[in-house]
Structures are given as C-alpha cells and as structure tokens.
Amino acid sequence: MLIGRDKEKKLLLEALQADGSRFAAVYGRRRVGKTFLIRETYQDQITFQHAGYYGGGMKEELFAFASSLKEYGLQAFSIPKNWLEAFELLKDLLRNSKDDKKVVFLDELSWMDTRGSDFMMALEGFWNGWASARKDIVLIVCGSVTSWMINNIVHNKGGLYNRLSFRIHLQPFTLRECEEYIQARNIVMNRYQILMCYMIMGGVPYYWSFLKKGFSLTQNIDRIFFAREPELDHEFDYLYASLFKKPEPYIKIVTALGKKRAGMTRAELLKATGSTNSGNFTLRLQELESCGFLRKYHSYGKKSRDSFYQLMDNFTLFYFKFLKNKPSDEHFWSNQTNAPAVNAWCGLAFERVCLEHVPQMKEALGISGVLTEEYSWACSRDEEKGIFGSQIDLMIVRKDQVINLCEMKYSSNRYTITAKVDEQMRGKMADLKTVTGTRYAIYPTFVTPYGITENSYAGNVQSVITAEDLFR
C-alpha cells in the first residue's frame, strides 16, 4: 500500500495523460521508497523496467539490460556490445508494444553509467533523437546516488539540458506519514512511541518495514538492531558503500560531525578529517547534503562563507551512539530506560526531528503563510561587553519582524522551566540583541513532546509546540 506521496503520484499519473512523451527524474536518499512509488503508481502499465547492478562493469550491465529486454518480450537478438546498441534494442521492444503509453522505468541509473561507457551519450540519443519526437513514451529515470542524479540528469549541461518534463525529489516520511504507515500495517503505537522510533530511524520507510505487529517498540528495536543476528546488521556499511564508490572519505566527514552537537565549519571539518582543502572536499560535502545526511546552514547575521555543517541523518546518529561499538546485550534497548547515554542521545535526536519538521512548527505557530528563514546562532562569552555566551539551535526569522527563538527540549513528561533555564533563555535573547543589533521582536518558543509545566516561569514563554503539533 502506498502511503502519502499524493503530489508525486499525481505528477506520475498526469504523464500518462499528456499529449506528448514525458521524461522525469525521481531521486532521493537510499531506502526512501523511490522504486516502490513508481511501481505502485504504474503497476501493470510499465512496458519496460530495468535496474542497474551495483558494482558491475560495462559488460555485466549490458548483459543484465539484455536479460531485462528478454524478460519483457524482445526475441531473437544478440547481447549488445555497447549502450548505443542496447538502446536500439529498447526501441525495437517499444515499437512492438501495443501499450497506448509506453512507460520505461530505468532504476539505479548511476550504476549503469560505468567508467568508460557510452551510457549517457546513448541515453541522450534515445530521448532526443527518438522518444521525445513520439507521443507515447513516458521515460522515468531513478537513482539513490542523489548527487549523480542532480549533476548528470537534473542539472545536465550537455544533450539532456532542460529536457526533463518534471522531477521528483522524494523526501523521507514525516511523522504523520509514519503514523499512517504503521496504522496501515495494524501496528499499535502511540505518538510518543512513534516519535521515539523516528528519532532512531528517521522517516525512511524501509527501516519502518522491519517493525512487527505484536512487539513493543523496545522489543522491535532490540530485534532490529541489537539481537545476535539483527535484521539491519551492517546497514551503515551497506548504506554508504552503495551511495559512494569510495565511501571512506564520506564516512570520515559524518563521523566527525557525529561528535559535534551544533555542527562544524568547513575549516574544522578539514582539520578533523585530515582532508585537503580542495574541490573534491567541497563535492563530498555537496553530495552528503544532497543525499540528506547533513545540512548546511548559516549563522544569523553571518556571511555564507561562515557556513556550518550538521549531521542530520537519524539512523547515522543512532549508529554512532549505540551500534558502532555494539553491546553484547541482546536486550540492550529494553534495559536502557532512563540511562544517561540514552537521555543525552534523546536530546540530540529530538532536535533533529524538530529541524526536519519546521513546516509543521510554523503551522502550529500560525505563520504558515509568512515568509521565513531558519538559522542557528552562537556567540562566545565576553564579560566586558556583557555577553553571556549563547547557543541557539533554531531561530525562525519572520518577515513580519519577529524571531521565534526555539528551545527544543526532550522530555518524557511535561517540561519544567526552572530558574536556571529561564535565566539561560533571557541571556540568549539579550546576547542576540547585543551582538546582532536586531530590532525584531524575540518570542521565546519551547518545543517539547508534552508541553510545559505551568509555573512562575512559564508565563515568560510566548509559544509552546508539542509532539502533537509535529504530527500535523
């Protein structure tokens, strides 16, 4: 059953009704459900489908492509020697098809584009020289190596420049979509448990598919990650190896970022990873960002060259904290209730979930229609200037001259604002005004699963966002 994805499904179905041929690219993080979306949308309307083979050479890729052609009905042909021949055979298959609209689905495109092959030239020739001139072709190309898809298809500067009819950057599920997913599978979890599961797995449908009915959340987490032979064993290695031909430099970057709560500058990353300041390092950062593993953000009032990079992938964060040196206890998660290490991780993971649900937070604040920009911000202590020293993980800066200064606090009950927390919040507001000189109104905003306890300090808070709001 296809959960959510209504806009994406509508775009794909509209391609079937279009007067002419259509060419679309679908890309996004590995395991996010790209292939499932296309198969479920088109089902038996796919005339030809093929997926590239990970790690294969040109010869192996062409043999696999020929096998797919045979499977879909092409007869009496020789294995193609190159991609030009392969796409000529695909044309023959499509000419013989009686389908009104001939849907061609090429999956994991980057794996087909092996070094030294003529794949991209052949693909360009297939579309520009043949398919685009017809009225009955729907060409859908897909890939998990998001950076490759963006550079070679979406932003192609050669023969495929500006040829896409539309593109779909498939995002992970939101909390609400994860709730719909488990309900469709008759798995019973309350929203607090769904939030916890999201903190571990993010919105990656593939990971959620391992949850089993009849098990508690903690039992499921033990079974999936900590059992003697866990169902997602070695997932970290598979994930990065499948996305990057040489994953080690990328793993160095996410490892360094996994040690820093607020992120790191480019200079700090270069030092931490022992990398050379080069275009290759820039490309790796861009690729990790495009794949959704990290975010690049600017500190409020600073220039773009002062950008920070922050690890965002929930599963990767969980891996570094608990799985890299996996404990021998097969019931580790069940036995870790209120353990200090888990509580520390909860605070970090909850922040990431909030940063992934800013649109829902804006809706809860009633500012969905207001143009905003999101920042993090920090300053060092300077007693002479009366600066306390502050770290702000999220500021929603609004065009109506208001700043929502968001404090994201994880708690399994209502969060209680103490005198110390209140003092810290007032110090952050004072620092922000002193250092940046902003004249915007600053609204203290607390984001916490169950809201805040009503006490003498609660009245200083302008807005409260709860877990319920994040499910909007």
Side-chain angles (χ1 to χ4, degrees):
M1 179 183 295
L2 186 61
I3 301 298
R5 313 304 197 196
D6 294 335
K7 293 180 181 179
E8 294 84 358
K9 185 176 180 180
K10 182 180 179 182
L11 279 172
L12 292 170
L13 291 176
E14 285 176 349
L16 291 176
Q17 308 301 322
D19 293 334
S21 293
R22 291 292 182 266
F23 179 21
V26 181
Y27 56 99
R29 182 199 189 281
R30 184 161 170 77
R31 313 291 206 188
V32 83
K34 301 178 295 298
T35 302
F36 186 76
L37 166 67
I38 296 165
R39 286 176 175 170
E40 286 295 300
T41 300
Y42 289 130
Q43 296 186 9
D44 58 356
Q45 294 173 298
I46 296 177
T47 306
F48 177 74
Q49 176 179 342
H50 174 71
Y53 276 30
Y54 173 69
M58 180 177 172
K59 183 179 179 180
E60 290 77 16
E61 295 292 345
L62 287 168
F63 180 85
F65 192 82
S67 298
S68 295
L69 288 169
K70 183 178 180 181
E71 182 180 347
Y72 278 87
L74 190 63
Q75 299 177 355
F77 66 94
S78 301
I79 303 298
K81 298 181 179 63
N82 53 54
W83 282 110
L84 288 170
E85 290 185 10
F87 276 98
E88 285 299 320
L89 292 172
L90 176 57
K91 292 178 190 177
D92 291 340
L93 175 71
L94 298 175
R95 289 188 188 103
N96 295 332
S97 173
K98 296 181 180 179
D99 296 337
D100 292 334
K101 274 292 175 72
K102 300 161 183 60
V103 177
V104 178
F105 174 29
L106 302 181
D107 200 2
E108 296 300 357
L109 211 64
S110 65
W111 296 350
M112 300 163 70
D113 183 31
T114 55
R115 177 175 293 183
S117 75
D118 56 353
F119 177 78
M120 285 303 299
M121 179 178 66
L123 178 63
E124 291 170 6
F126 171 76
W127 178 254
N128 293 334
W130 188 78
S132 64
R134 298 173 64 98
K135 295 184 178 181
D136 59 348
I137 306 296
V138 178
L139 174 60
I140 308 294
V141 296
C142 182
S144 297
V145 184
T146 307
S147 57
W148 187 95
M149 289 291 294
I150 291 174
N151 294 331
N152 292 276
I153 303 296
V154 177
H155 294 157
N156 184 282
K157 295 179 174 63
L160 292 179
Y161 174 74
N162 204 29
R163 293 295 193 268
L164 287 178
S165 306
F166 62 93
R167 58 183 179 174
I168 296 173
H169 187 179
L170 198 63
Q171 301 291 338
F173 277 168
T174 62
L175 281 165
R176 177 60 183 168
E177 288 168 330
C178 288
E179 182 178 51
E180 293 174 1
Y181 178 77
I182 65 165
Q183 288 174 347
R185 296 183 57 210
N186 296 317
I187 296 174
V188 179
M189 290 170 59
N190 61 39
R191 285 187 164 178
Y192 178 81
Q193 293 166 333
I194 295 171
L195 173 62
M196 175 63 73
C197 193
Y198 200 98
M199 288 159 58
I200 296 170
M201 299 180 176
V204 181
Y206 176 76
Y207 298 159
W208 287 73
S209 70
F210 286 92
L211 295 171
K212 286 188 178 180
K213 184 171 67 173
F215 288 79
S216 68
L217 175 60
T218 53
Q219 288 173 328
N220 266 309
I221 299 305
D222 279 332
R223 181 178 53 79
I224 295 169
F225 295 109
F226 297 102
R228 183 171 299 176
E229 295 182 358
E231 298 198 49
L232 280 177
D233 198 16
H234 303 299
E235 170 61 16
F236 180 86
D237 297 325
Y238 295 149
L239 177 62
Y240 286 88
S242 64
L243 289 174
F244 310 109
K245 291 183 178 179
K246 295 181 178 179
E248 292 79 12
Y250 300 88
I251 292 175
K252 280 186 178 180
I253 292 173
V254 296
T255 300
L257 289 174
K259 299 174 182 177
K260 295 289 184 178
R261 184 185 190 107
M264 302 171 73
T265 64
R266 177 191 174 90
E268 290 171 336
L269 272 172
L270 285 167
K271 183 177 180 181
T273 59
S275 302
T276 302
N277 189 4
S278 65
N280 285 336
F281 189 75
T282 300
L283 181 61
R284 289 175 191 133
L285 291 175
Q286 291 173 345
E287 288 174 340
L288 285 167
E289 183 181 8
S290 66
C291 292
F293 290 104
L294 59 83
R295 73 168 180 134
K296 179 182 179 181
Y297 68 90
H298 307 310
S299 184
Y300 182 64
K302 296 290 184 69
K303 297 180 180 179
S304 59
R305 66 172 179 268
D306 300 313
S307 299
F308 285 80
Y309 297 90
Q310 186 177 35
L311 181 61
M312 289 297 295
D313 186 64
N314 305 67
F315 168 75
T316 300
L317 284 164
F318 186 75
Y319 169 84
F320 284 140
K321 190 67 178 179
F322 301 109
L323 301 177
K324 187 175 183 180
N325 299 304
K326 194 173 74 171
S328 58
D329 184 2
E330 295 182 33
H331 305 286
F332 173 80
W333 201 247
S334 299
N335 294 329
Q336 289 300 301
T337 304
N338 292 323
V342 172
N343 290 337
W345 164 82
C346 282
L348 180 64
F350 180 66
E351 287 179 6
R352 298 308 193 268
V353 175
C354 293
L355 291 170
E356 292 170 311
H357 288 77
V358 171
Q360 289 79 6
M361 293 169 61
K362 287 179 61 177
E363 184 177 346
L365 293 170
I367 58 171
S368 293
V370 178
L371 186 62
T372 65
E373 292 181 357
E374 288 75 52
Y375 297 94
S376 296
W377 184 80
C379 68
S380 301
R381 184 178 182 85
D382 190 331
E383 294 183 5
E384 292 184 3
K385 296 181 180 180
I387 298 172
F388 298 92
S390 299
Q391 171 68 48
I392 301 173
D393 294 310
L394 177 62
M395 296 165 49
I396 301 177
V397 182
R398 301 157 41 175
K399 287 300 181 183
D400 57 1
Q401 298 191 342
V402 172
I403 296 175
N404 285 96
L405 196 162
C406 299
E407 283 287 286
M408 296 169 281
K409 300 292 187 181
Y410 180 82
S411 176
S412 57
N413 296 293
R414 284 184 175 270
Y415 182 78
T416 300
I417 301 175
T418 63
K420 182 179 180 180
V421 172
D422 180 70
E423 180 183 9
Q424 290 172 343
M425 173 61 81
R426 288 185 286 106
K428 291 180 181 183
M429 294 169 64
D431 282 352
L432 186 61
K433 290 179 180 179
T434 301
V435 175
T436 68
T438 183
R439 295 184 179 181
Y440 283 19
I442 302 176
Y443 289 178
T445 304
F446 272 74
V447 190
T448 185
Y450 290 105
I452 62 175
T453 304
E454 290 296 329
N455 62 12
S456 57
Y457 301 109
N460 296 332
V461 176
Q462 181 71 29
S463 302
V464 178
I465 299 172
T466 67
E468 292 290 323
D469 295 317
L470 299 179
F471 278 82
R472 289 173 181 258

